[in-house]
Amino acid sequence: MTLPVARSPRRYDPERKSRIVDAAIDVVARYGVAGTTMRRIAAEADVPLGSLTYHFAGLDDLLAQAFQRHAERMSPLYEAHFHGVRDREGFIDAVTDLIHGDAGADPGEWAVAYELYLAALRDPRLRTVTEAWMRRSRAVLERFVDPVTARGVDAMIEGMVMHLTLSTATFDRADTRAIVARLLADTDGPALPR
Amino acid sequence: MTLPVARSPRRYDPERKSRIVDAAIDVVARYGVAGTTMRRIAAEADVPLGSLTYHFAGLDDLLAQAFQRHAERMSPLYEAHFHGVRDREGFIDAVTDLIHGDAGADPGEWAVAYELYLAALRDPRLRTVTEAWMRRSRAVLERFVDPVTARGVDAMIEGMVMHLTLSTATFDRADTRAIVARLLADTDGPALPR
Amino acid sequence: MTLPVARSPRRYDPERKSRIVDAAIDVVARYGVAGTTMRRIAAEADVPLGSLTYHFAGLDDLLAQAFQRHAERMSPLYEAHFHGVRDREGFIDAVTDLIHGDAGADPGEWAVAYELYLAALRDPRLRTVTEAWMRRSRAVLERFVDPVTARGVDAMIEGMVMHLTLSTATFDRADTRAIVARLLADTDGPALPR
Amino acid sequence: MTLPVARSPRRYDPERKSRIVDAAIDVVARYGVAGTTMRRIAAEADVPLGSLTYHFAGLDDLLAQAFQRHAERMSPLYEAHFHGVRDREGFIDAVTDLIHGDAGADPGEWAVAYELYLAALRDPRLRTVTEAWMRRSRAVLERFVDPVTARGVDAMIEGMVMHLTLSTATFDRADTRAIVARLLADTDGPALPR
DNA sequence: AATGAATGAGTATTCATTCAT
DNA sequence: TATGAATGAATACTCATTCAT
C-alpha cells in the first residue's frame, strides 16, 4: 500500500482568490500601479498565471478589488486610531500621530492610497472606492468637529503625509501639532464623545 | 545641376529636443506615467521614434526632464498668483482661489504634479525635482507667514486640491476660505510684503 | 426535517447533450469555426464548461457532431423544397428559389455549410459528413435529371449562393432562371416524379 | 586585423515585408485562417515575431494584405489561361481544364480562395478584395460570352472546383465538358476575340 | 454523474532599445 | 546627425483540457 503523494501542489485551495487580492495590494505597494503586472501578482501569490484570469476579468478588475479591500481595511484602522479619544487635546494628538506615522500605517500603505487616488483620477469606476473611503474618514473626524473643519483636517492629514513621505527633511512634531491645533481654534463642533 | 528634392520634412529642427519634452508632459497629463510610452511621445511631438533615443538616454531620462520642466514652469505661476497680494485678507483669498482652480492651473497640470510625487516616491533621482518645487512653493508662502504655517498652508492646498479633483461633491468656496483663515489665526508672521 | 435547498438549476437535464450540439451549430454560424470555443458554446447552451468535456471527447468531437446534425437537418429541407415539383418548369423554379434564398435557408445556415466544406478540406474525418450530404442532395436532383446534370445543377447552386452572399450587387432572378434553364436544355433525364 | 563577423543575421533585409505577406499566404493555404497565427507566419518567413507587428497593424491587417496579394496574383493566371482561346470549343475546353486543375492552380491556391470567401463573409473589409477578384474573373469570361452567362460560368467553376476538391469520387472530364457546353448553348454572346 | 476550479501552453500585441544605413 | 527598421523580452489574455470534490 502506497502513501498518497501530493502530485500537483495545492490543487485544492479555497482561499486562493482572496490571497491573490492580497498579493495585488502588496505588489502595488512595492512597485506602484505602473509596475503591477499579472505575472508579479501571480508570483507573489504563488499561483500560476492562468489562475488570475480565471478568478478576475482582467488586471483592471483585480486592481479595483485590491483597492477596495485596501480601503475597507484601512478605514477601521483609522476609526480605531480615534477610538480612545476623549477631548480636544486628545484629538489633536491623534491627528498629529496619524500624520507622523505613529498610528500603525506604514509608508507602503499610504503609497497604495496615493496610487488609488491617481488611478481614480483616470478611471471613474474607482471613484466609488475613493468616495466611500473619504466619507468614512470624514465621518470619524465629524465625531469631534463640525463637517467643514473635518474636511479641512482630512485634507491637512493627506497633504502633510504626502509631504512627509516625500521630503528628506524631517518635520518637527510639535510644529505639526501647533498647526493642527490652530485648525480647531474657536471651534466647539459637536459635543465631544463622552 | 541637381533638382531640389523634397526631403523628409523638418530635417532642420533646432527646437526638436525641447518640443519632445513638452510632448512628454502632455502625454503624462493625459495618460499618466503608466501610460506614457516612447511611441506616444514621439507621435505627440510629431517626430520619428528614433529621435527620442537620439536625444535622450532613455524613457527615464526623458521623464525626469519633463518633470523638471513642468516644475520649473509651475513655480513662476505660483509666484505670480501671489504677486499682487498686499495683506492678510488678500493672502487668504489667493490661497482659496488656488484651491478652487481659479488660478490658471488646470486639472491636467495638477495631475502631472501628483504623478511626479508618486514617481519620486519610487525613484529617488526625482527627489531633487520635488524638493526644489516644494522649496520654491514654501518660499512664496513664507513671504506672508512664518515657515511652520507655510508648511501647513502648503499641505492644506495639496490635500484640498486632491480631494476636490476626486470628489463628485462640490465644495463651498466660503467654507474653504474659513478653514484657510483659521490656519492663519493669531499669526503675525513676517511683515507682509511692502 | 431538512429544508428543500435550491440546488444548482437544471441538475436533471436529459436534453443537455443535444442542446449543446445545437448551441455549437449556432456558434459556428455566428462566429465561424475559428471563433468557436468551448466557452462560447457552453455560454450559448447555458451549461457549465465542464459539462462539455463530460459529454464530448473534445472540441473536435463536438464540432463533428454539430456538423453532422446540421447536415442531417438540412437534407430534409432540401428534399422538402423539391417535394411538390411536378414538371421541368417547376423544377427550374425550385432551383432558382433555392439560389435566391426563397427556400427557407438563411445565410447563417449556408455559412455553416461552407464552414463544414472548409473544415473537411483539412480534416478527413469530416469527409463522411460532406460525402453523405452531397449524396443526398444529388439524389434529390436525380429524381428530375440525369446524374451528370444533377452534379452540374448542384455545383451551380453552390457557386451561385456563394457569389450572391458575398456580392453587394443584386442578381436578377430572371437571369438566374435563364441560366438554370439552359443547364437542363435537351435533357429528358429520368421520368419526372409521378 | 579581424574579419568582420556577421553578428545578427539579416539585420538589413529590404524584402522582408513582402516576404512576410508571402509567408502568410502559405500558412493560410496549409493551415487555414483558423490555424494561421503570427508565430507560424514569422517562422515561415524566418523572421522574429516582433517584426510582424512592426510592419503590420495586426493579424487582421496582415491577412487582408495576404488575401489581396493572392487575389492579384491569381487573376493574371486566370486571364492567361484564357489567352490563347480562339473559339467556342476552345473556351469550353479552357473552362473544363480550369475546373479539373489542369490550369496551374493547385489545391492550396483554391483553398486560399475559399478561405478568403469565408473570411469575407464575416469581415466586410475583405469585400473589396472579393469584389475585385470576381469582377476581374467575370471580365475575362465576358470576352467570350454575355454577362449573364459569364456569371453562370463563374459560379459553375466555383462550385465544381469546390466539389471536386472535397469529393473522394472522381469526376469524368467529358461529363464536365458536356455540362459546361450546355451552359453556352444557343448563346452567341459578344464576338469571340479574333 | 457532474462541475467549478485549476492549469499551462499558446495567443496577439506593445514596447524600449539597438543598429545599419 | 538622424532615422526607419529591427528585435526580443515582456505584456494581458484565451483556451482546451484536467481533476478533486
Side-chain angles (χ1 to χ4, degrees):
Chain A
M1 182 184 128
T2 55
L3 286 171
V5 173
R7 292 299 200 84
S8 86
R10 207 175 16 233
R11 182 81 201 196
Y12 174 69
D13 183 4
E15 305 288 347
R16 175 172 291 196
K17 186 172 179 182
S18 175
R19 205 171 61 249
I20 292 171
V21 175
D22 284 340
I25 298 174
D26 272 12
V27 171
V28 169
R30 235 177 313 142
Y31 301 97
V33 168
T36 296
T37 67
M38 286 275 180
R39 286 166 143 76
R40 272 212 247 254
I41 297 169
E44 176 74 24
D46 188 25
V47 143
L49 186 55
S51 196
L52 298 218
T53 42
Y54 173 75
H55 286 289
F56 302 90
L59 182 54
D60 282 1
D61 176 35
L62 174 47
L63 274 178
Q65 293 195 37
F67 279 133
Q68 176 136 19
R69 176 175 298 184
H70 181 70
E72 280 166 3
R73 197 174 275 164
M74 294 298 281
S75 287
L77 287 181
Y78 205 92
E79 281 153 10
H81 181 63
F82 287 96
H83 186 257
V85 172
R86 288 283 164 266
D87 54 19
R88 172 164 311 240
E89 294 304 303
F91 179 65
I92 296 171
D93 283 332
V95 171
T96 308
D97 286 349
L98 201 61
I99 290 171
H100 281 266
D102 305 330
D106 66 72
E109 287 172 325
W110 281 108
V112 175
Y114 290 126
E115 294 282 351
L116 167 57
Y117 291 158
L118 214 51
L121 213 62
R122 297 211 157 75
D123 185 353
R125 289 168 304 179
L126 290 172
R127 295 290 169 87
T128 57
V129 181
T130 53
E131 298 260 359
W133 179 327
M134 289 178 183
R135 211 177 321 111
R136 282 185 74 171
S137 303
R138 259 195 328 265
V140 173
L141 303 178
E142 284 174 11
R143 285 175 46 223
F144 306 99
V145 293
D146 65 283
V148 169
T149 306
R151 177 142 68 202
V153 173
D154 202 24
M156 175 67 82
I157 292 172
E158 209 89 79
M160 280 277 193
V161 170
M162 182 174 273
H163 283 189
L164 221 142
T165 310
L166 279 175
S167 179
T168 57
T170 58
F171 279 36
D172 188 84
R173 218 181 161 289
D175 288 344
T176 303
R177 196 183 190 285
I179 291 290
V180 173
R182 222 182 293 149
L183 261 183
L184 306 180
D186 302 323
T187 322
D188 24 43
L192 280 169
R194 55 276 89 205
Chain B
M1 178 187 111
T2 56
L3 286 170
V5 174
R7 286 154 178 281
S8 103
R10 201 164 25 221
R11 185 79 187 200
Y12 173 71
D13 184 5
E15 305 287 348
R16 174 172 291 194
K17 187 173 177 182
S18 173
R19 206 170 61 248
I20 292 171
V21 175
D22 283 340
I25 297 173
D26 271 13
V27 171
V28 170
R30 235 174 317 140
Y31 301 97
V33 169
T36 297
T37 66
M38 287 273 183
R39 286 166 149 74
R40 273 212 247 254
I41 298 169
E44 177 74 26
D46 189 23
V47 143
L49 181 57
S51 193
L52 297 217
T53 41
Y54 177 75
H55 287 291
F56 302 89
L59 181 57
D60 283 358
D61 175 35
L62 174 47
L63 271 178
Q65 294 195 37
F67 278 133
Q68 176 134 20
R69 174 174 300 182
H70 182 70
E72 281 167 1
R73 194 175 278 163
M74 293 301 281
S75 288
L77 287 181
Y78 205 90
E79 283 153 10
H81 181 63
F82 288 96
H83 186 258
V85 172
R86 287 286 162 263
D87 53 20
R88 172 162 312 239
E89 293 304 303
F91 179 66
I92 295 171
D93 283 334
V95 171
T96 307
D97 286 350
L98 201 60
I99 290 170
H100 281 265
D102 305 329
D106 65 71
E109 286 171 325
W110 280 107
V112 175
Y114 289 129
E115 293 281 351
L116 168 57
Y117 292 158
L118 219 48
L121 209 63
R122 297 207 159 76
D123 184 352
R125 288 168 304 177
L126 289 172
R127 294 290 167 87
T128 58
V129 180
T130 53
E131 297 264 356
W133 178 330
M134 288 179 185
R135 211 177 321 112
R136 283 185 75 171
S137 302
R138 262 197 322 268
V140 173
L141 303 179
E142 284 173 13
R143 284 173 49 220
F144 306 98
V145 292
D146 65 281
V148 169
T149 306
R151 178 142 69 204
V153 172
D154 202 24
M156 175 67 82
I157 292 171
E158 209 90 78
M160 280 277 194
V161 170
M162 182 172 272
H163 282 191
L164 220 141
T165 311
L166 281 175
S167 180
T168 55
T170 58
F171 280 35
D172 189 84
R173 217 179 161 290
D175 289 343
T176 302
R177 197 182 189 286
I179 290 290
V180 173
R182 223 182 293 149
L183 259 184
L184 305 181
D186 302 322
T187 322
D188 24 44
L192 280 168
R194 43 287 80 211
Chain C
M1 175 188 114
T2 55
L3 287 170
V5 174
R7 287 154 176 282
S8 102
R10 200 165 24 223
R11 186 80 188 199
Y12 173 72
D13 184 6
E15 304 288 348
R16 174 172 291 195
K17 187 172 177 182
S18 174
R19 207 171 61 249
I20 292 171
V21 175
D22 283 341
I25 297 173
D26 271 13
V27 171
V28 169
R30 235 175 314 141
Y31 300 97
V33 169
T36 296
T37 67
M38 288 271 178
R39 286 165 149 75
R40 272 211 246 254
I41 297 169
E44 176 74 24
D46 189 23
V47 144
L49 182 57
S51 192
L52 297 216
T53 42
Y54 177 76
H55 287 290
F56 302 89
L59 181 56
D60 283 359
D61 175 36
L62 173 48
L63 272 177
Q65 294 195 37
F67 279 133
Q68 177 134 22
R69 175 174 300 182
H70 181 71
E72 282 167 0
R73 194 175 279 163
M74 294 299 281
S75 288
L77 287 181
Y78 206 91
E79 283 153 9
H81 180 64
F82 288 96
H83 186 259
V85 172
R86 287 287 161 262
D87 54 20
R88 171 163 312 240
E89 293 305 302
F91 179 66
I92 295 172
D93 283 333
V95 171
T96 306
D97 286 349
L98 201 59
I99 290 171
H100 281 265
D102 304 329
D106 65 71
E109 287 171 326
W110 280 106
V112 174
Y114 289 129
E115 293 283 349
L116 167 58
Y117 291 159
L118 219 46
L121 209 63
R122 296 205 160 77
D123 184 352
R125 289 169 303 177
L126 290 171
R127 295 290 168 87
T128 58
V129 180
T130 53
E131 298 265 357
W133 178 328
M134 288 179 185
R135 210 176 325 111
R136 284 185 74 173
S137 302
R138 255 189 337 257
V140 173
L141 303 179
E142 285 174 11
R143 285 175 47 224
F144 306 97
V145 293
D146 66 281
V148 169
T149 306
R151 177 143 67 205
V153 172
D154 202 23
M156 175 67 82
I157 292 171
E158 209 90 78
M160 279 277 192
V161 170
M162 181 171 274
H163 282 192
L164 220 143
T165 311
L166 281 175
S167 179
T168 55
T170 58
F171 279 38
D172 189 84
R173 215 178 163 291
D175 289 344
T176 302
R177 196 182 190 286
I179 291 290
V180 173
R182 223 181 294 150
L183 260 184
L184 305 182
D186 302 322
T187 322
D188 25 45
L192 279 169
R194 43 291 73 219
Chain D
M1 182 183 119
T2 56
L3 286 171
V5 174
R7 292 299 201 85
S8 86
R10 205 177 16 234
R11 183 81 203 197
Y12 174 70
D13 183 5
E15 304 287 349
R16 176 172 290 197
K17 187 172 178 182
S18 175
R19 204 172 61 249
I20 293 171
V21 175
D22 283 341
I25 297 174
D26 272 12
V27 171
V28 170
R30 234 174 316 141
Y31 301 96
V33 168
T36 296
T37 67
M38 288 270 172
R39 286 167 142 76
R40 271 211 248 253
I41 298 169
E44 176 74 25
D46 188 24
V47 142
L49 186 55
S51 196
L52 299 218
T53 42
Y54 174 76
H55 286 289
F56 303 91
L59 181 55
D60 283 0
D61 176 35
L62 172 48
L63 274 178
Q65 293 195 36
F67 279 132
Q68 176 135 21
R69 175 174 298 183
H70 182 70
E72 280 166 2
R73 197 175 274 165
M74 294 299 280
S75 287
L77 286 181
Y78 204 93
E79 282 153 9
H81 180 64
F82 288 94
H83 186 258
V85 172
R86 288 286 162 265
D87 54 20
R88 171 162 312 238
E89 293 305 302
F91 179 66
I92 295 172
D93 283 332
V95 171
T96 307
D97 286 349
L98 201 59
I99 290 171
H100 280 265
D102 305 329
D106 65 72
E109 287 172 325
W110 280 106
V112 174
Y114 289 127
E115 293 283 350
L116 167 57
Y117 291 158
L118 214 49
L121 213 61
R122 297 210 157 74
D123 184 353
R125 289 168 303 179
L126 290 172
R127 295 291 168 86
T128 58
V129 180
T130 53
E131 298 261 358
W133 178 328
M134 289 178 183
R135 210 176 323 112
R136 282 185 75 172
S137 302
R138 258 195 329 264
V140 173
L141 303 178
E142 285 173 11
R143 284 174 47 222
F144 306 97
V145 293
D146 66 282
V148 169
T149 306
R151 177 142 69 205
V153 172
D154 201 24
M156 175 67 83
I157 293 171
E158 209 89 79
M160 279 277 193
V161 170
M162 181 173 274
H163 282 190
L164 219 143
T165 312
L166 280 174
S167 179
T168 56
T170 57
F171 278 37
D172 189 84
R173 215 179 162 292
D175 288 344
T176 302
R177 194 180 191 288
I179 291 290
V180 173
R182 223 180 297 149
L183 260 184
L184 306 181
D186 302 321
T187 321
D188 24 44
L192 279 169
R194 56 271 87 213

